[in-house]
Amino acid sequence: MKQRILNTLEHYNHVKNHVFNAFNHPVIVLMYHRVLDQNEQGSPYTVTTSHFRDQMLYLKDHFEMVGLEDNWQNLERPACVITFDDGYYDNYTIARDFLSPQSIPATFFVATQNIGTKNLFWWDDLNLHQAFYEKSSGLTMMQLFRQLKNSQRNDQIRFFNKHQPPVCCDEATRKAYRSMTKQELISLSDLPHMSIGAHTINHLNLSKQSIDEIAFELRESQLRLEHIINKSVTSCSFPYGSYNRKVIGVSQKLGFNTACIGVSQNAYHWTNRLKIPRISVEDVALGTFKRQINRLIP
Ligand SMILES: [Zn+2]
């Protein structure tokens, strides 16, 4: 009986959303990570500067560019939101050099563990020393990524203490993969249309953590960022887009009013603001980008 009621409700929601979609413009929330002049390793998380500029100029001409926390009601045409995850230093350069003069709003979700240090995120460390880690652990890259992504923080620390590459990264490499400094975060958040959001401290997969760990990761990253930029931090994105009921509940309790999840579809003004879906952008030239974006317009 309960299942039948749930199925009916789900069906009702599906029909309701379908009807709403016909009368409301979509909000396409785009997810970027890094923007660099070169993407030598073909990283799926890097978009080259020239592609990024072409993509932004196209969006600005054809979409209403809105902020993540703006009111999305009464849009006159399909809208687009720009977001960045992780907090690499290039986000600051790009925002200052290109987004800000173009008045394109953007939100930057920052994992706080490496702010102001030259420490690497674990996945960059892994990529840079691929052969070493595979040999030392006896696992393939794919297995290592899956294992570390779903680990508890202590297990990650144990792994990297046990497997230490003989030659560590040189200064240039550390610079190339660094996170933003405190000052860069302050300058970024002072720019008009730019906002900072939380992305946990240690970039853990929150759906695999205890409720205490979820609360710690979200609360401490929010507090650290608020302390740095001296503004409220009310948006977050969940690492790997992963969430469950506990994660949403904790986010709500901590005062987040917007949270991004890892579902690849359009958002609408009536979308639950604690479950905003996003579209990941690849390093593609304008022609391909146009086709990919226009496929999203009903
Ligand atoms: Zn991330």
Side-chain angles (χ1 to χ4, degrees), residues 31 33 85-87 109 111 121 123 199 203 237-241 278:
M31 171 176 64
H33 288 80
D85 274 14
D86 298 339
F109 295 111
F121 288 113
W123 53 87
H199 194 47
H203 207 281
S237 75
F238 306 129
Y240 317 107
R278 285 190 296 176

Side-chain angles (χ1 to χ4, degrees), residues 79-119:
C80 197
V81 174
I82 307 299
T83 69
F84 286 80
D85 274 14
D86 298 339
Y88 287 98
Y89 76 92
D90 48 272
N91 294 183
Y92 168 70
T93 334
I94 292 308
R96 197 192 41 188
D97 287 358
F98 188 70
L99 294 174
S100 189
Q102 292 286 338
S103 300
I104 297 175
T107 297
F108 299 84
F109 295 111
V110 180
T112 58
Q113 67 173 166
N114 293 337
I115 293 173
T117 76
K118 285 180 192 154
N119 295 338

Side-chain angles (χ1 to χ4, degrees), residues 8-292:
T8 311
L9 279 175
E10 201 172 306
H11 178 71
Y12 169 75
N13 258 337
H14 186 76
V15 172
K16 183 190 76 182
N17 290 348
H18 210 72
V19 172
F20 273 163
N21 290 359
F23 295 103
N24 292 286
H25 291 300
V27 181
I28 300 170
V29 184
L30 295 178
M31 171 176 64
Y32 290 87
H33 288 80
R34 307 199 68 183
V35 179
L36 296 169
D37 288 346
Q38 308 284 338
N39 184 11
E40 282 151 3
Q41 289 164 346
S43 165
Y45 302 107
T46 296
V47 173
T48 45
T49 312
S50 61
H51 287 163
F52 180 76
R53 288 178 180 207
D54 289 347
Q55 293 173 1
M56 291 304 114
L57 293 175
Y58 175 76
L59 292 174
K60 203 182 162 194
D61 277 351
H62 295 84
F63 290 80
E64 199 165 326
M65 302 306 286
V66 293
L68 185 69
E69 294 183 70
D70 287 353
N71 183 347
W72 297 341
Q73 270 178 321
N74 307 321
L75 295 169
E76 298 200 338
R77 55 182 180 162
C80 197
V81 174
I82 307 299
T83 69
F84 286 80
D85 274 14
D86 298 339
Y88 287 98
Y89 76 92
D90 48 272
N91 294 183
Y92 168 70
T93 334
I94 292 308
R96 197 192 41 188
D97 287 358
F98 188 70
L99 294 174
S100 189
Q102 292 286 338
S103 300
I104 297 175
T107 297
F108 299 84
F109 295 111
V110 180
T112 58
Q113 67 173 166
N114 293 337
I115 293 173
T117 76
K118 285 180 192 154
N119 295 338
L120 272 54
F121 288 113
W122 67 261
W123 53 87
D124 287 328
D125 186 2
L126 213 61
N127 272 326
L128 287 163
H129 304 101
Q130 182 173 349
F132 165 79
Y133 282 116
E134 282 186 332
K135 194 167 173 216
S136 178
S137 67
L139 297 172
T140 65
M141 246 352 220
M142 189 102 83
Q143 289 169 324
L144 281 169
F145 267 109
R146 199 175 308 131
Q147 181 186 310
L148 288 162
K149 175 185 153 183
N150 294 324
S151 291
Q152 309 297 304
R153 178 64 185 148
N154 282 343
D155 293 331
Q156 281 187 356
I157 293 172
R158 218 168 290 134
F159 175 88
F160 284 104
N161 280 341
K162 187 173 169 193
H163 305 281
Q164 292 189 16
V167 182
C168 214
C169 301
D170 58 22
E171 187 66 11
T173 309
R174 289 191 173 279
K175 266 190 185 170
Y177 289 90
R178 75 171 174 84
S179 294
M180 282 184 270
T181 63
K182 285 184 189 177
Q183 195 49 55
E184 285 166 344
L185 281 168
I186 295 167
S187 307
L188 184 55
S189 79
D190 281 346
L191 291 169
H193 316 297
M194 302 294 148
S195 69
I196 306 290
H199 194 47
T200 74
I201 308 171
N202 294 303
H203 207 281
L204 300 179
N205 181 341
L206 292 180
S207 67
K208 305 277 182 194
Q209 312 298 320
S210 68
I211 195 148
D212 287 347
E213 193 69 15
I214 296 168
F216 175 78
E217 285 285 331
L218 286 172
R219 185 185 59 236
E220 293 303 312
S221 58
Q222 181 188 33
L223 287 175
R224 173 122 208 253
L225 290 169
E226 287 180 340
H227 181 71
I228 293 170
I229 63 174
N230 200 23
K231 285 179 188 165
S232 300
V233 169
T234 51
S235 67
C236 64
S237 75
F238 306 129
Y240 317 107
S242 180
Y243 73 100
N244 57 20
R245 279 214 335 246
K246 282 188 286 184
V247 174
I248 300 294
V250 169
S251 310
Q252 199 162 20
K253 266 195 191 146
L254 291 172
F256 288 109
N257 58 35
T258 308
C260 294
I261 58 170
V263 173
S264 186
Q265 61 188 38
N266 292 341
Y268 290 86
H269 76 82
W270 43 264
T271 301
N272 180 343
R273 284 289 177 124
L274 289 176
K275 291 184 187 174
I276 299 284
R278 285 190 296 176
I279 310 290
S280 181
V281 184
E282 294 162 11
D283 188 19
V284 289
L286 189 57
T288 308
F289 181 74
K290 276 187 203 172
R291 277 195 298 282
Q292 290 174 345

